Amino acid sequence: MLGQASIPLVGVVDATVIGRTGDAAALAGVALGATVIGLVFWSFGFLRMGMTGLTAQAEGAGDGSEVEALLLRALLIGGMIGLVLFALHLPIIWLAFKVLAGGEAVTLEAKAYVQARFLGAPAALCVFALNGWLLGLGRTRSALMLQVVMNIANIALDLLFVWGFDMGARGVGLGTAAAEWIALTTGLVIAGRVAGASAAGGVPAILRRTSWNKIVERAALVRLFAVNRDIMIRTLALLFMFTWFANAGARLGAEALAANHVLLQFINMAAFVLDAFAFTAESRVGNAIGSQSRAQFMRAVRLTGEFSLGAGVGLAALFFAIGDPVIAFITTDAEVRATAQKLLPFAALVPLLGMPSWLLDGVFIGATQGRALRNAGVLAAIGYIALDTALRPLDNMGVWMAISASYLLRAGSLACYIPALLRTFDRRSDPSGDPAPAGVPPRV
């Protein structure tokens, strides 16, 4: 939970450092730019999510060589995709701001932020892979260390570039991109130590003892891409929702867009804290499937569900209690503050509304049930867009009502797949109730 709570601090720091300059256009530009980066980078979030379930299953099956090969495959894929994104960043930026709304001043700041963030694309995607691998092994303390290093670097560099060098939104982007490279360097050392290599050897030591044929093994790659294809579609659907959400705020003006971005920091904090339990579910569910234990699966779901509910209630109460002063700290613009404080109840209720969907994400990711995740994500996105369109007469309140309902749509869609998930354990057992042979792969 500590590791997850620290992840959204990157966004909070970015928003606060630029928000306290009092420049609403710059804050709105970072908001719009962060939406573009989120859409592009997290389109490849399967490098984190798919890795967790696959790694946990390999660990549960006692296949240490596959655990290490999974890391190397994901780092290779992440680095290659990151380099392609960097090479194509100019046309991507041009296309993104042809689609997204925003005034001239806001768009100028957003472009500067996005261009700087693309410098960190290869590092960001490789860090996704490292986090997924560490979480799949249940090495949450190592994942926390990696995130803490990134946050400290991000805070220091943001302050240097924005308050020291007066670089505005571009400085925020540069600070975060540099922090991602620092995090990658740290993560490679951590991964090597987790795998039993020396700190000096790191991941190269793993590479030396893993054959290239093992890394590019056809069956493993087919399974990796089969799982990740559906997760990628699901992620794109959810990212499209939040891009639509940002654009809905942008249509209402810079103040509305900036206020919504401030409130998104509450949602990000809730999502990442509650994702701590979802990630635990990913690891434990994946391990249960790898060892083919229905009892272990049910225990993981029950315990993570109980903790998620308690944390959701606690976060909602906390946001209601401290929301106003936090908003006042993040931004000094009076109009942005007033708008955000008016809509705070919606953001404060998200921990309760979103808790079931985040937890079920963890269960199905750990089970590598990509099809269920894909279908639920697409259905939720379609339902959200329909609601947002119908509620437009309510202006920004309608925007928040629609996004709040989307969490319930996603949870309801995933819940429909629970009986089928439970039946996979029955199919893995013979009539006597004994577990199926260890070589039987989980159903994708």
Side-chain angles (χ1 to χ4, degrees):
M1 185 188 291
L2 289 173
Q4 285 303 106
S6 69
I7 290 176
L9 288 179
V10 172
V12 173
V13 168
D14 287 353
T16 303
V17 168
I18 201 69
R20 293 197 65 79
T21 64
D23 188 340
L27 178 56
V30 170
L32 202 59
T35 300
V36 173
I37 289 298
L39 178 61
V40 175
F41 285 15
W42 275 103
S43 295
F44 307 99
F46 62 78
L47 290 165
R48 207 290 302 157
M49 292 176 282
M51 273 293 289
T52 303
L54 292 170
T55 303
Q57 289 179 22
E59 176 77 358
D63 191 349
S65 63
E66 178 62 13
V67 168
E68 294 187 357
L70 276 166
L71 173 63
L72 297 176
R73 284 186 207 117
L75 288 174
L76 177 64
I77 293 169
M80 291 174 62
I81 294 173
L83 288 173
V84 171
L85 290 178
F86 177 73
L88 298 176
H89 75 278
L90 290 179
I92 291 172
I93 291 171
W94 177 84
L95 179 61
F97 291 105
K98 281 290 183 181
V99 175
L100 294 176
E104 184 178 349
V106 171
T107 300
L108 188 65
E109 295 282 357
K111 286 182 176 179
Y113 172 83
V114 172
Q115 283 183 322
R117 285 295 307 272
F118 268 107
L119 294 170
L125 298 193
C126 287
V127 169
F128 286 175
L130 284 163
N131 265 317
W133 187 75
L134 290 170
L135 291 167
L137 294 175
R139 299 297 188 114
T140 54
R141 188 172 299 175
S142 296
L144 168 61
M145 185 185 304
L146 175 59
Q147 197 59 46
V148 166
V149 167
M150 181 170 173
N151 286 334
I152 292 173
N154 186 61
I155 292 169
L157 292 168
D158 273 8
L159 291 173
L160 175 65
F161 291 141
V162 178
W163 291 359
F165 297 154
D166 195 24
M167 296 178 68
R170 184 185 299 278
V172 173
L174 285 173
T176 304
E180 286 165 338
W181 282 105
I182 293 170
L184 173 59
T185 303
T186 304
L188 293 175
V189 174
I190 290 173
R193 293 176 67 88
V194 167
S198 66
V203 168
I206 302 175
L207 184 59
R208 284 193 295 272
R209 67 192 187 208
T210 307
S211 71
W212 178 253
N213 289 337
K214 176 69 174 178
I215 296 172
V216 297
E217 182 183 348
R218 178 178 173 79
L221 287 173
V222 167
R223 185 179 177 217
L224 178 67
F225 283 106
V227 172
N228 290 339
R229 176 197 61 218
D230 288 331
I231 291 178
M232 184 176 184
I233 294 171
R234 168 260 185 198
T235 304
L236 285 171
L238 299 184
L239 288 171
F240 182 77
M241 280 173 43
F242 279 95
T243 303
W244 185 285
F245 172 79
N247 205 41
R251 286 197 307 266
L252 299 174
E255 285 75 19
L257 175 60
N260 287 355
H261 186 62
V262 169
L263 292 176
L264 272 177
Q265 307 315 309
F266 290 92
I267 293 179
N268 288 339
M269 182 64 72
F272 281 105
V273 169
L274 292 172
D275 263 351
F277 304 112
F279 288 176
T280 302
E282 289 177 29
S283 177
R284 294 298 89 205
V285 165
N287 199 277
I289 289 177
S291 59
Q292 298 163 13
S293 169
R294 181 177 178 136
Q296 184 180 334
F297 170 84
M298 296 302 295
R299 184 172 186 271
V301 173
R302 178 178 63 82
L303 288 174
T304 53
E306 290 169 356
F307 276 103
S308 292
L309 178 60
V313 171
L315 283 170
L318 179 66
F319 291 169
F320 273 113
I322 68 169
D324 286 347
V326 169
I327 290 169
F329 177 76
I330 291 176
T331 177
T332 58
D333 186 280
E335 289 188 32
V336 174
R337 279 184 179 181
T339 302
Q341 287 168 345
K342 177 182 177 182
L343 296 167
L344 175 63
F346 288 101
L349 285 173
V350 165
L352 283 177
L353 298 177
M355 179 275 295
S357 63
W358 293 320
L359 178 63
L360 288 172
D361 273 351
V363 171
F364 282 90
I365 288 170
T368 58
Q369 295 284 313
R371 187 176 302 173
L373 290 160
R374 177 198 66 197
N375 293 346
V378 171
L379 286 172
I382 293 171
Y384 161 71
I385 292 169
L387 279 172
D388 181 76
T389 303
L391 295 171
R392 280 187 182 177
L394 298 178
D395 292 330
N396 215 9
M397 185 171 292
V399 171
W400 278 93
M401 290 172 67
I403 199 68
S404 298
S406 72
Y407 292 103
L408 300 178
L409 291 171
R410 183 150 53 108
S413 299
L414 282 173
C416 295
Y417 286 93
I418 291 176
L421 176 57
L422 290 173
R423 286 196 294 271
T424 63
F425 285 95
D426 299 331
R427 287 196 290 270
R428 290 192 184 94
S429 299
D430 66 24
S432 67
D434 295 328
V440 176
R443 174 176 165 272
V444 176

